[in-house]
Amino acid sequence: MKSKYLSAISALALLGAAGPAFAAEGVKIGVLNDQSGVYADFGGKWSVEAARMAIEDFGGSVLGQKIELVDADHQNKPDLGVSIARRWFDVEHVDMITELTTSSVALAVQELAKQEKKIDMVVGAGSSRITGDLCSPYGFHWAYDTHALAVGTGGALTEAGGNTWFFLTADYQFGYSLEQDTAAIVKEKGGKVLGAVRHPLNTSDFSSFLLQAQSSKAKVIGLANAGLDTSNAIKQASEFGIVQGGQKLAALLFTLAEVHGLGLQAAQGLQLTESYYWDRDDRSRDFGNRFFKKTGRMPNMVQAGTYSAVTSYLKAVKAAGTKDTEAVTKKLKEMPVDDAFTAHGKVLANGRMVTDLYLFEVKKPSESKKPWDYYNVVATVPGDKAYPTAKESGCPLTK
């Protein structure tokens, strides 16, 4: 996957970075994500619907001009993602691209957006490098990242006695970042990493990887993957009796969508970190219930985060009085984030949106009182603890 990312970046240099010859009327937003693969429930068409809701709630226009929405499936391929994004920027005059599940795609598209001087707002991808050493002056990162997940889930489990770890890691940039960030927190808390094994994206058979993890005798097996990969690993770990044998599974990126797909019987007791839960307060419940009426499901942090990113972008366009990239970027970094996703978000100089995260434990079936009632709150992770400062992030723009 790394080579695909590098080839996508190389293609940008060959194709050049000429933007559109004129500024098109209206404001156009693109949702680019995985709609048919391993992350289709994690974000997918549900994130498109969340973006549509944000536009509807904003009134459908800004600065007297219509807001349009386009979407596409990048199929987790950086080259395809860049090709779609280039067409959107140069031919269809898209002003901002968001969601961008899959870190290799997000990083490649962010590099293109930087060359085109366009805004990208990553929600679904998790690599902390997006606002770290590979940051962009026009790039933003919403909802979560691998560093925040490491602090939330990795830190809590290590402090609770899970002081030896073995990682099952998705073999691309997101997995590497999640493993590295979590390992650093584990060691900081006095724990040890006994080993790791990498698996291809969209793996159907985890048996050999799980046997290695089991034989390591690590107290915690960290699943540094996401979507169906995590669900399949959990199901197959149950077949091997790993949890019954005394080892814990840490789902380092697992959301409400995957819990629903797995079912409470299989997911009960899992600890995970999200930055949004539909049943947390009145505002989140209102958005969750409206989303449910449109989709038949409750949103996870990626879908609610997409709503927030689009809402914040439109607020910034309105405040700037223009859709000019420099002006809107400045407003995004000045304005607080206050919406159904969070009431107290702030955007750092490196584009990282900071807000609290929550460590949840999945309820037992007997504890769930209504549909989608899946979580108990274990702890709140303050945003300034979950994320490094802009200067600490490694982003060269902040030095």
Side-chain angles (χ1 to χ4, degrees):
M1 187 62 75
K2 186 176 180 181
S3 63
K4 289 182 179 178
Y5 164 64
L6 292 174
S7 67
I9 296 301
S10 298
L12 300 184
L14 293 172
L15 289 169
F22 60 95
E25 292 186 0
V27 173
K28 188 175 283 190
I29 294 167
V31 174
L32 183 59
N33 63 1
D34 175 9
Q35 299 182 12
S36 58
V38 67
Y39 302 133
D41 274 353
F42 178 75
K45 62 183 180 181
W46 317 114
S47 290
V48 179
E49 186 57 47
R52 187 172 291 114
M53 287 177 64
I55 292 169
E56 291 172 356
D57 288 352
F58 207 79
S61 65
V62 61
L63 305 179
Q65 297 188 24
K66 182 181 178 181
I67 305 165
E68 295 184 64
L69 181 69
V70 294
D71 70 273
D73 182 355
H74 60 48
Q75 300 176 35
N76 298 310
K77 299 175 181 177
D79 291 348
L80 178 59
V82 167
S83 175
I84 293 168
R86 178 171 288 285
R87 185 184 77 246
W88 279 359
F89 286 148
D90 292 353
V91 179
E92 300 185 32
H93 309 299
V94 168
D95 299 293
M96 185 272 280
I97 296 178
T98 189
E99 222 275 44
L100 291 165
T101 301
T102 312
S103 293
S104 52
V105 179
L107 287 165
V109 171
Q110 179 162 280
E111 180 65 20
L112 171 65
K114 181 170 70 174
Q115 293 181 19
E116 295 268 7
K117 294 189 176 181
K118 295 281 191 173
I119 291 172
D120 69 280
M121 302 182 75
V122 177
V123 185
S127 175
S128 55
R129 299 184 72 188
I130 292 165
T131 50
D133 63 315
L134 297 177
C135 66
S136 162
Y138 315 116
F140 296 85
H141 202 175
W142 242 246
Y144 78 102
D145 69 16
T146 53
H147 186 277
L149 297 177
V151 173
T153 307
L157 284 174
T158 304
E159 289 177 349
N163 56 7
T164 56
W165 285 65
F166 186 97
F167 290 95
L168 264 67
T169 302
D171 192 12
Y172 77 106
Q173 185 58 58
F174 159 73
Y176 311 152
S177 293
L178 188 50
E179 177 189 325
Q180 291 164 7
D181 287 342
T182 306
I185 294 294
V186 168
K187 292 172 185 176
E188 182 184 305
K189 300 289 184 181
K192 294 181 179 180
V193 176
L194 303 184
V197 62
R198 290 176 175 173
H199 68 80
L201 183 67
N202 203 13
T203 300
S204 59
D205 184 2
F206 281 88
S207 56
S208 64
F209 309 119
L210 288 167
L211 285 171
Q212 290 182 61
Q214 191 174 36
S215 64
S216 74
K217 306 298 184 184
K219 292 180 181 177
V220 180
I221 298 172
L223 303 177
N225 48 24
L228 288 177
D229 281 340
T230 307
S231 297
N232 287 333
I234 292 170
K235 289 176 185 176
Q236 291 173 39
S238 177
E239 295 170 6
F240 281 98
I242 286 177
V243 175
Q244 296 90 322
Q247 292 173 293
K248 288 184 179 294
L249 291 178
L252 296 173
L253 178 52
F254 209 60
T255 74
L256 193 76
E258 291 76 51
V259 171
H260 182 72
L262 194 57
L264 288 184
Q265 188 62 43
Q268 60 182 307
L270 279 175
Q271 290 196 345
L272 55 91
T273 300
E274 288 204 64
S275 52
Y276 169 89
Y277 179 45
W278 73 271
D279 203 19
R280 192 176 62 82
D281 58 29
D282 289 342
R283 210 170 180 186
S284 61
R285 274 189 288 274
D286 175 69
F287 175 72
N289 288 325
R290 290 194 297 120
F291 186 88
F292 185 88
K293 288 179 181 178
K294 290 178 176 289
T295 65
R297 59 193 291 129
M298 288 296 181
N300 64 4
M301 68 174 172
V302 174
Q303 292 136 15
T306 300
Y307 174 90
S308 176
V310 172
T311 298
S312 293
Y313 173 76
L314 294 173
K315 287 180 177 179
V317 170
K318 182 178 180 180
T322 174
K323 64 176 185 177
D324 172 74
T325 295
E326 298 284 356
V328 176
T329 295
K330 186 173 184 290
K331 286 297 181 182
L332 278 167
K333 293 180 180 180
E334 291 176 351
M335 298 171 64
V337 180
D338 182 8
D339 51 40
F341 179 78
T342 179
H344 48 80
K346 61 181 179 180
V347 181
L348 304 183
N350 62 342
R352 174 69 257 172
M353 195 278 277
V354 172
T355 188
D356 295 347
L357 289 92
Y358 307 93
L359 180 65
F360 295 113
E361 183 170 275
V362 178
K363 291 183 175 183
K364 299 175 182 177
S366 60
E367 295 177 309
S368 181
K369 305 302 181 186
K370 55 189 175 183
W372 296 88
D373 174 26
Y374 293 162
Y375 290 166
N376 286 317
V377 179
V378 176
T380 299
V381 184
D384 59 359
K385 301 294 184 185
Y387 300 100
T389 65
K391 288 185 177 180
E392 293 169 343
S393 70
C395 173
L397 300 172
T398 63
K399 293 181 180 180

